[in-house]
Amino acid sequence: MKITVKLFATLRIGRFKQEDRDYPDGFTCQQIAEDLGIKVDELGIVLVNGHHASVDHVLSDGDALSFLALVGGG
C-alpha cells in the first residue's frame, strides 16, 4: 500500500519533508515511525488524513500520515 508520510519540525532532520512510501497491508503508524528511526516518545502529534490518530492506528492504502515532534520550552 502507498502512504504519504509528512514529517514536521525536528523529525525532518536527516530525513525528508514529504514522501510517498510503500508499506505492507496492516502497517501501523508506530511501525512506520520505527521504520524511519523515530522513537514513539519523540512524537507529539500523529495525524492520519488530517485527524488525530493513535500510534497503533492501522493505515489504509492512500492514507496521509503526519508526524509532529514534541515541542519543548521553558
Side-chain angles (χ1 to χ4, degrees):
M1 69 179 172
K2 188 166 293 295
I3 303 295
T4 299
V5 181
K6 301 174 185 180
L7 303 177
F8 293 86
T10 57
L11 298 178
R12 291 181 181 169
I13 297 171
R15 294 184 184 97
F16 54 87
K17 179 178 179 179
Q18 179 175 323
E19 193 169 281
D20 291 332
R21 299 174 68 93
D22 291 314
Y23 289 100
D25 289 341
F27 242 52
T28 65
C29 299
Q30 181 173 345
Q31 288 173 301
I32 291 178
E34 291 169 354
D35 180 59
L36 297 173
I38 299 170
K39 296 176 184 166
V40 173
D41 62 357
E42 293 179 79
L43 298 175
I45 298 173
V46 176
L47 301 174
V48 176
N49 301 323
H51 300 281
H52 286 274
S54 65
V55 293
D56 60 350
H57 178 87
V58 177
L59 296 155
S60 299
D61 186 48
D63 279 348
L65 172 63
S66 300
F67 288 140
L68 290 82
L70 285 172
V71 176

